[in-house]
Amino acid sequence: MLLKDKVAVITGAASPRGIGKQIARLFASQGAKVIILDLNADDAKAAALEIGSEHLGLACNVTNKEDCENAIKIAAEKYGRIDILVNNAGITQPIKFLDIKPENYNAVMDVSLRGMLYASQAVVPYMQENKSGSIINMSSVSAQRGGGIFGGSHYSAAKAGMLGLGKAMARELGMHNIRVNAICPGLIQTDITGDKLTDEMKEEILKGIPLNRLGVTDDIAKACLFLGSELSEYMTGCSIDVNGGMHMY
Ligand code: NAD
């Protein structure tokens, strides 16, 4: 059990085929109590209940600072501590550079980047109290290679911003034994692309993946488990590529 008695908050984890939900399942199987945050209260509750009655599902729009503070307060009061935060909530849009409207920019930047800021600000005081914590930020290969897979350039910017914000947090929070790391997934089969990712697009993408398959949510959950557990206790400010070799540097 790598996460025995740990308490983990995962944002954007109610999507049935999503990365966050799989992280929640794996964390729970390793002994953690899991708090699932997502936009819709019923979805979040149902997702938590599916994993087990000892877990909690709460409504939280991560772009809203008050939502984040309220949800984290409820979680901390119930479980007494917060050990791990996974900033997983994110949205994408396949829009060309010149077509990005102010509302597109705001929506995509806000969920990934502002959401990471607000959720992290809400958990850090609890982690400081325990002199321990692990924050994991779900970036993307899109941050490193400038998109070119599905999301537009505003998505690349949001995901690259998460890497910068995460490193700055790692520097500032290390003295409290709070570690901050990122994961950069390649293309993972979830519902984030809606029905806009065609079979032809998938085939084209596969040609650039040495491991010759698209990723599955468990590929990301396993990396997350490593970063959340003491296996990575001397790692901070890092990002782990989980992309089948699609991008190497
Ligand atoms: P998904 O669409 O299945 O899940 C995203 C979840 O975030 C949904 O449950 C949604 O309701 C929630 N969400 C959206 N806006 C929110 C908000 N304001 N507050 C709280 N929750 C919100 O997507 P996924 O593929 O599981 O993606 C999870 C993360 O991984 C995202 O950050 C995404 O950018 C990143 N990522 C995904 C891929 C991929 O190929 N699937 C690749 C790289 C990075």
Side-chain angles (χ1 to χ4, degrees):
M1 290 270 194
L2 289 170
L3 300 180
K4 193 171 177 323
D5 300 328
K6 300 282 185 197
V7 178
V9 175
I10 308 168
T11 70
S15 177
R17 289 174 6 102
I19 291 171
K21 178 89 177 284
Q22 187 57 26
I23 296 168
R25 279 194 203 98
L26 186 61
F27 276 19
S29 76
Q30 290 292 324
K33 300 283 186 296
V34 170
I35 299 103
I36 287 180
L37 304 184
D38 213 303
L39 290 172
N40 180 286
D42 290 342
D43 291 348
K45 273 184 204 149
L49 197 60
E50 199 190 304
I51 294 168
S53 55
E54 66 274 39
H55 308 291
L56 184 66
L58 295 170
C60 174
N61 181 341
V62 293
T63 68
N64 181 307
K65 192 166 165 60
E66 223 182 310
D67 264 23
C68 291
E69 286 167 354
N70 289 340
I72 297 301
K73 188 162 178 268
I74 294 170
E77 276 171 9
K78 180 170 165 77
Y79 297 106
R81 54 190 294 130
I82 309 280
D83 299 292
I84 302 167
L85 167 68
V86 185
N87 284 308
N88 172 73
I91 58 170
T92 189
Q93 297 168 341
I95 301 180
K96 296 272 180 230
F97 175 68
L98 284 179
D99 297 329
I100 297 170
K101 299 190 173 65
E103 58 269 29
N104 301 128
Y105 179 89
N106 288 343
V108 168
M109 293 293 281
D110 274 1
V111 181
S112 280
L113 199 48
R114 189 185 295 274
M116 170 181 160
L117 176 72
Y118 291 164
S120 303
Q121 284 179 327
V123 300
V124 162
Y126 297 99
M127 292 179 167
Q128 281 175 325
E129 238 172 67
N130 294 336
K131 295 191 172 34
S132 156
S134 172
I135 298 177
I136 303 158
N137 301 312
M138 206 55 72
S139 179
S140 170
V141 69
S142 179
Q144 303 162 309
R145 42 168 271 159
I149 301 167
F150 184 80
S153 43
H154 53 336
Y155 180 73
S156 296
K159 293 300 182 184
M162 290 179 79
L163 296 179
L165 177 57
K167 283 183 193 173
M169 285 167 56
R171 223 172 258 288
E172 201 175 317
L173 300 174
M175 64 191 292
H176 302 287
N177 194 30
I178 299 172
R179 302 182 295 110
V180 186
N181 294 292
I183 297 176
C184 292
L187 185 59
I188 310 300
Q189 301 187 70
T190 70
D191 295 325
I192 198 170
T193 49
D195 52 4
K196 295 198 177 89
L197 187 74
T198 62
D199 286 346
E200 294 75 47
M201 285 162 81
K202 278 188 197 165
E203 256 176 54
E204 209 39 51
I205 291 166
L206 265 183
K207 287 182 195 159
I209 302 180
L211 289 181
N212 200 34
R213 68 169 173 87
L214 300 184
V216 294
T217 54
D218 207 35
D219 294 323
I220 306 306
K222 287 177 197 161
C224 217
L225 175 60
F226 171 68
L227 290 178
S229 76
E230 278 160 21
L231 290 178
S232 59
E233 65 189 340
Y234 196 50
M235 288 176 65
T236 195
C238 300
S239 61
I240 299 184
D241 295 350
V242 188
N243 62 28
M246 170 196 270
H247 179 79
M248 303 179 193
Y249 65 100

